Each structure stands twice: as C-alpha cells, then as structure tokens.
Amino acid sequence: MSSQIITPAQAKSLREMINRASRIAVTCHMTPDGDAMGSSLCLAHVLSAMGKAVTVVVPDCPPQNLMFLPGAGQIVVASCRPERAQCVFRNSDLIFVLDYNDLKRIDRMAPMVEQSGGKRVVIDHHLNPVIESDLMVSRPDVSSTCALVYLVLEAMGLTVMMGTEAAECCCTGMMTDTGNFSYNSNDPELYRILADLVSKGVDKDAIYNKLFNTNRESRVRLMGYGQSRKMQLIPEHQAALITLSRDELNEFGYHRGDTEALVNVPLSIPGVTYSVFLREDEPGYVKVSMRSKGDFSVKDICERHFGGGGHCNAAGGEMYAPLDDVVAKVIGIMPEYDAQLPTANQKMKETE
Ligand code: 5GP
Ligand code: MN
C-alpha cells in the first residue's frame, strides 16, 4: 500500500469538489457490512465537521449489530424510504460511492444514482470497477475501504477533521474486513492508521466486543447447528459445504447477521481449500457465500455461476432456485475447479 493512493493533483481536485458541493450523498452496497457502513459514516462525519450537508443512503437495512456506529440512526434506508432517497440524490451535487464496484450492488438505488446530476467519486477495494465517475480510487490491494478513506482524507490533509466518532467508524471497517487483523493485514500502514485512530480516542477493545463478542442466542445456536449438523466435507474437491433451509432458519428464529462468518469456519480444517455456504433466504432464492485459502479464487466461481463477485478469497452471489437445485449445481461444478486446487506438495509448503 506504500504507493500513493491519489496524486497531489487528484487530492486537490477532490478537495475542490468537496468545497464546491453544498449537498453531499454518501452511499454503500446493499446488505451493508462493517466496512460499507464504517467507511460511509466515517466520511460523513468528516464532511459534516467541515460544515457540509451530508446524508448517508444505504440500499437496505443495516444489521442490528452495526447500529452502535455513531450516526447509524440518521442513515436513510432506500428500501424503506424510497422517496426520501430519491430526493437526496436529486439534490446532491456530489455522490460518494464507497465499497462497491458496480451499480448492481446497490439494487433499486442504482437508477437514482445514475439519474442524479451530481459529481461521482468512487472509493473502493473490489477488483475491476465498472462505475463511471469523476474520480476513481480503486485499490484492491488495500484490505478495507475504511483504510482507503483514511488515506484519501490524509492525502487531502483532512485527517485533522476526524473526531472520535469518525475514527470509531473507520476502525470498525478495518477490523471487520480483516477479521480483526487476522487476514489481509500484514501491511504496516494499517497499524500506522490504527495508531492514529486509537490516539483520536477509539476504544478498539470495546469495538471488538461489539463486533465479534456480542451474539444473539439465536446466532449462537444456529452457528453450532450449522457446524455440527450441516457441514459436509468433500475431500476429493478440498471443499466444505454448509446449507441452511428456510425451515431451519425459522426453527432457530433467524435474524439477519446470525450466520455471519459461518462460512469461514470450515476453512480452519487443514485440507479444506474452499468453503461454500448456501442460505435459503426465501423459498426459491438462495444466497451463496464462499471463502477460500491461497490462490484458489472463489470470486471466479461466484461471477461465473452465481451472478456475483467479490474478492479472490471471499465472494458471494445468489441463485433463484430451490435449495436442493443449488446444492446440486455447487457439487456439479466442483470438478471444473479441481485443476486450481493446491497439490499436496504446495499444501505442505504452506504449512511449513
Ligand atoms: P459475504 O459472503 O460475506 O456475503 O460476501 C463476501 C464478499 O463477497 C463481499 O464483501 C462482497 O464483496 C462479495 N459479494 C457477496 N455477495 C455478492 C453478490 O451478490 N454480488 C457481488 N458482486 N458480490 C458479492
Ligand atoms: Mn469492504
């Protein structure tokens, strides 16, 4: 990440865009996660500290466990208040696109953003962005959009405008997109940023407790059930599969967010190179989540077969079909990807 995030000329031009804007909208992707919410709210706090009228608009409801973020209560949820969202975009002269690379990721909010006359700035860390913009900061090598937002603010000399609340939001996304600094987290720059955020008053341990150590009863039980009863290992493809049907979700009193990170668990088993989690969110609609280790790309699988995308080691998609059909499809395509699996020799090297 040591190379500069934006050139001095880009920093100047972004600063001017911000100075000229009177109303600013900040957006992130649907089913917002800690990085989407954290980066949006962090930037919104800084822009409001600069005296700007700023509104964060998200496509659908954030999960309850992120509502502790300062400012989360003021977010406009487009699926609940479409007219309000429409009005925000119509009146915005600058729109920030944070943590997504394709307008498909904001669902029904896409036409609102497309039709807005406002300038558009993308700050994102997903591969191959396809969004037209006046400024594009696309850095797949940076582990979170929150870290990117910090670096962009820094390039503009604006980190002095980050108070404790903005810093808390920034820290949240850096933690969630690295599993509390357990992957994609070897860049020393991250710790320089983190040190600054903590010096701005962030209680990192308290945020950790809220993010990773606070669970509903339904989540604790469902995670246990998913692991003990529903995990299937498929050694010939170095794969693991967990499925949860609508009936099972109902039985456990499922709330959104309850299965967060379930897909990661099988990867802790030596010999499992990729893990697939299928959740039947509605009858006939299945959300697909995948995780992998090393060079094995689940992004390619999700793009090609499940209308999705993401990162090499963490990706997702969806399929409109009964759960059994999606399971059959997943198992059916596994042989296609066998050639990309690490050989026994490579795996030995990894564990050395
Ligand atoms: P998760 O498995 O936690 O839902 O998603 C992991 C990552 O995959 C997300 O950070 C996001 O980048 C990507 N992702 C998840 N679902 C979708 C999807 O439906 N479409 C696309 N393009 N990316 C997705
Ligand atoms: Mn992210």
Side-chain angles (χ1 to χ4, degrees), residues 29-31 33 35 99-102 104-105 124-126 177 260-261 263-264 277 279 285 287-291 298-299 302-303 306-311 313-318:
H29 59 78
M30 62 184 165
T31 54
D33 54 14
D35 192 33
D99 201 38
Y100 61 101
N101 58 355
D102 188 330
K104 280 193 221 145
R105 297 279 288 139
D124 179 45
H125 67 142
H126 294 89
D177 267 23
E260 183 68 35
V263 64
N264 295 321
F277 171 47
R279 194 183 58 224
Y285 173 79
K287 180 69 199 163
V288 178
S289 271
M290 297 196 192
R291 298 291 185 273
V298 282
K299 173 178 173 284
C302 288
E303 261 174 12
F306 300 103
H311 311 273
N313 296 136
E318 59 190 7

Side-chain angles (χ1 to χ4, degrees), residues 267-279:
L267 279 190
S268 63
I269 303 171
V272 174
T273 297
Y274 67 112
S275 163
V276 180
F277 171 47
L278 304 177
R279 194 183 58 224

Side-chain angles (χ1 to χ4, degrees), residues 71-350:
Q74 280 81 58
I75 282 178
V76 173
V77 178
S79 60
C80 303
R81 298 166 69 200
E83 286 88 16
R84 175 84 184 99
Q86 181 73 264
C87 177
V88 170
F89 292 118
R90 201 178 298 125
N91 294 329
S92 292
D93 27 38
L94 179 57
I95 299 176
F96 281 93
V97 164
L98 300 186
D99 201 38
Y100 61 101
N101 58 355
D102 188 330
L103 290 179
K104 280 193 221 145
R105 297 279 288 139
I106 56 171
D107 204 30
R108 272 171 272 178
M109 220 164 84
M112 303 184 197
V113 171
E114 270 167 335
Q115 284 154 25
S116 168
K119 291 209 179 291
R120 213 182 281 165
V121 174
V122 176
I123 304 177
D124 179 45
H125 67 142
H126 294 89
L127 286 168
N128 312 325
V130 289
I131 301 178
E132 272 179 43
S133 61
D134 298 280
L135 175 67
M136 166 75 67
V137 183
S138 169
R139 290 292 296 254
D141 59 315
V142 177
S143 55
S144 62
T145 300
C146 277
L148 258 181
V149 164
Y150 179 97
L151 293 166
V152 169
L153 290 171
E154 184 173 57
M156 292 189 290
L158 287 177
T159 50
V160 285
M161 302 302 282
M162 279 176 104
T164 306
E165 294 193 328
E168 281 166 352
C169 296
C170 188
C171 187
T172 293
M174 290 178 66
M175 288 165 78
T176 54
D177 267 23
T178 59
N180 195 34
F181 302 99
S182 64
Y183 48 81
N184 296 335
S185 60
N186 284 332
D187 189 327
E189 283 270 274
L190 295 178
Y191 303 94
R192 181 182 67 79
I193 299 172
L194 189 62
D196 189 34
L197 299 178
V198 173
S199 74
K200 288 178 188 297
V202 171
D203 182 342
K204 180 188 168 288
D205 300 348
I207 295 181
Y208 174 85
N209 270 323
K210 285 177 187 152
L211 291 172
F212 298 101
N213 218 4
T214 306
N215 293 313
R216 291 173 190 277
E217 182 185 342
S218 57
R219 168 166 163 81
V220 175
R221 293 193 187 282
L222 190 55
M223 291 288 281
Y225 174 73
Q227 291 165 65
S228 76
R229 307 285 302 277
K230 299 305 308 285
M231 182 180 71
Q232 187 188 341
L233 296 183
I234 310 162
E236 61 275 31
H237 301 300
Q238 300 177 20
L241 173 65
I242 298 177
T243 64
L244 288 173
S245 69
R246 191 62 250 169
D247 285 348
E248 287 167 321
L249 296 172
N250 289 343
E251 187 189 323
F252 281 87
Y254 170 78
H255 290 79
R256 260 174 69 171
D258 280 353
T259 58
E260 183 68 35
L262 178 59
V263 64
N264 295 321
V265 179
L267 279 190
S268 63
I269 303 171
V272 174
T273 297
Y274 67 112
S275 163
V276 180
F277 171 47
L278 304 177
R279 194 183 58 224
E280 188 181 35
D281 279 348
E282 303 290 337
Y285 173 79
V286 176
K287 180 69 199 163
V288 178
S289 271
M290 297 196 192
R291 298 291 185 273
S292 65
K293 291 178 197 159
D295 295 335
F296 188 92
S297 171
V298 282
K299 173 178 173 284
D300 294 349
I301 307 181
C302 288
E303 261 174 12
R304 176 128 190 246
H305 297 282
F306 300 103
H311 311 273
C312 171
N313 296 136
E318 59 190 7
M319 190 166 161
Y320 287 86
L323 183 57
D324 288 348
D325 294 6
V326 186
V327 170
K329 169 145 180 164
V330 167
I331 307 269
I333 61 179
M334 282 182 175
E336 269 180 53
Y337 295 92
D338 283 352
Q340 285 160 51
L341 293 169
T343 59
N345 262 350
Q346 285 167 324
K347 280 202 285 183
M348 288 276 284
K349 282 208 183 102
E350 263 168 39

Side-chain angles (χ1 to χ4, degrees), residues 64-78:
Q64 198 53 41
N65 74 321
L66 293 175
M67 293 308 289
F68 75 88
L69 287 171
Q74 280 81 58
I75 282 178
V76 173
V77 178

